[in-house]
Amino acid sequence: MSKQKKKTIVIGGGAAGLELVTRLGRDKHDEVVLVEPSSHHFWKPRLHEIAAGTFDEELDAVSYLKHALCNKYRYLQGRMTGVDRAAKTLEVKTAEGRLVTEHYDRLVIAVGAVSNDFKTPGVASHCMFLDSAEQAHNVWQRINPLLRAQGEHRISIVGAGATGVELVAELAKVSQKLSRYNTGSELQITLIEAADRVLPMSPECMSEKVQSMLEKQGIRVLTNTRIQQAKSGALITAKGEVIESDVQVWAAGIKCADWLTQLDGLETNRIHQLKVLPTLQSTLDENIFVIGDSAECPQPDGGFVPPRAQAANQAATHLAKQFKRQRKGKDLQPFVFNDGGMLVALGHDYAVGAVMNDRVVLRGRQVRKLYDTIFRLHQQVLFGWGRVTRLMVLKRIKCLMNPYYNGRA
Ligand SMILES: Cc1cc2nc3c(=O)[nH]c(=O)nc-3n(C[C@H](O)[C@H](O)[C@H](O)COP(=O)(O)OP(=O)(O)OC[C@H]3O[C@@H](n4cnc5c(N)ncnc54)[C@H](O)[C@@H]3O)c2cc1C
């Protein structure tokens, strides 16, 4: 008699969740379900390209419906809203607004994180965010008309982590390329950071190089500057300085969604990440796993896995292997993040990176290619090398024919 298949439900089809369902679906040993509210997957580290109008959706967005069909998992378009751990059921609000209950044998939560406004007054209503493709599109809808209108336009980005730095560099590049078309538009871009340097989580020499590159591109970089309030058209610093802006984007810090703190008693930390054991199992329930930005996963050195795309991908690969071990009755192994270094893109043709445990800082066009490799490796897991190669060739051809930004409204 054939063994009954276990049902694994993965919540969130981002960097971690989509790779996991791809691997599990292809394995065909379990019944696999992906719960995800969006219709298409976008690689989050490229959201700044959507916001700057340089992302190619035709080539680089993934339809969940089609991907699920090709990789033997079920895609349920909706949002997880709660869990009953004793009954092993979860509640999902579907895209049509229905509430459905799904039974699981294993639950994997991979819902990522969002920007943290640290409850700063006015930020939620007067700043834009870059946490989803939809929000990135909204930023582009605001910036695109400015790029076509004569005069000076002020754009302020709060937070000089990877997101903020990549966004200002991409916008500066677009603005510079567009000046060739004599639109008469000029962007004045300000990057604001509370810490004493840009990329505060990276080695200092990398911060210095990145800041000097940004300043060479005409970007005003304000460090040691804490925003105390956001108003319509202005940011107010702790020292009372008023930074007037036509568009203001908040890209500082991260936290997880509030509903994670109400998951049938599961433990969370200060920024609402779910606490897990080194095996990625939640501290209070061995059938609930958490991977990616929404997990606080301890490491042998006493620290935690950082909220990075690379870590999300590694955790997905690790968990797929562990589920195979579980099937064979073996113990789960701990997840240890292997840090391959930090790379930050400064436009489409330049990147800066710290590798070899932050001992070496690299920069240039070749480093930008290395940066792209991380995205291509993600695509390779989703589609295999054949399709990735075709996508890369198509992209080359399209780049030769199209301007740097897509110019679509
Ligand atoms: C603009 C930007 C630039 C970045 N650049 C870099 C970089 O250069 N290098 C780097 O390492 N990292 C970078 N990051 C961070 C990186 O993107 C994240 O660490 C990574 O995406 C985390 O993967 P994840 O799977 O945990 O979450 P995500 O990729 O965020 O995926 C979470 C998924 O969960 C879904 N979801 C949310 N709520 C629910 C719910 N209730 N029910 C079901 N599904 C839900 C979301 O729709 C989403 O698809 C960047 C992030 C941003 C925003």
Side-chain angles (χ1 to χ4, degrees), residues 11-12 14-16 36-37 44-45 79-80 112 163 166 259 292-293 307-309:
I11 313 296
E36 162 63 49
K44 211 171 173 186
R79 214 170 254 287
M80 173 177 169
T163 308
E166 290 184 345
W259 63 270
D293 287 3
R308 301 228 305 258

Side-chain angles (χ1 to χ4, degrees), residues 70-214:
C70 298
N71 292 281
K72 314 280 180 264
Y73 64 88
R74 177 157 69 90
Y75 158 57
L76 173 58
Q77 188 171 7
R79 214 170 254 287
M80 173 177 169
T81 52
V83 66
D84 180 339
R85 296 199 284 124
K88 284 193 173 181
T89 56
L90 65 98
E91 199 176 69
V92 176
K93 189 169 187 189
T94 67
E96 312 88 58
R98 277 182 307 121
L99 276 184
V100 295
T101 303
E102 288 272 339
H103 173 265
Y104 64 84
D105 294 304
R106 276 194 212 110
L107 178 63
V108 183
I109 299 177
V111 292
V114 292
S115 313
N116 193 346
D117 69 3
F118 306 102
K119 299 203 168 91
T120 311
V123 170
S125 32
H126 299 298
C127 290
M128 305 188 84
F129 297 88
L130 261 197
D131 297 323
S132 64
E134 194 186 347
Q135 290 180 346
H137 276 122
N138 292 341
V139 174
W140 171 236
Q141 295 296 334
R142 288 283 297 280
I143 290 177
N144 191 19
L146 303 183
L147 289 168
R148 295 146 181 267
Q150 288 218 332
E152 275 181 9
H153 311 289
R154 298 149 304 179
I155 299 182
S156 301
I157 315 293
V158 184
T163 308
V165 164
E166 290 184 345
L167 178 61
V168 291
E170 193 75 13
L171 286 173
K173 195 84 183 177
V174 166
S175 167
Q176 181 205 333
K177 293 266 175 182
L178 267 185
S179 62
R180 291 193 200 151
Y181 299 103
N182 295 323
T183 60
S185 160
E186 198 183 308
L187 293 190
Q188 279 192 351
I189 304 168
T190 306
L191 179 65
I192 304 153
E193 170 57 51
D196 59 358
R197 58 191 175 98
V198 301
L199 298 174
M201 308 305 280
S202 307
E204 272 184 46
C205 47
M206 183 165 162
S207 301
E208 279 162 27
K209 290 213 164 82
V210 168
Q211 180 160 346
S212 91
M213 292 290 303
L214 294 178

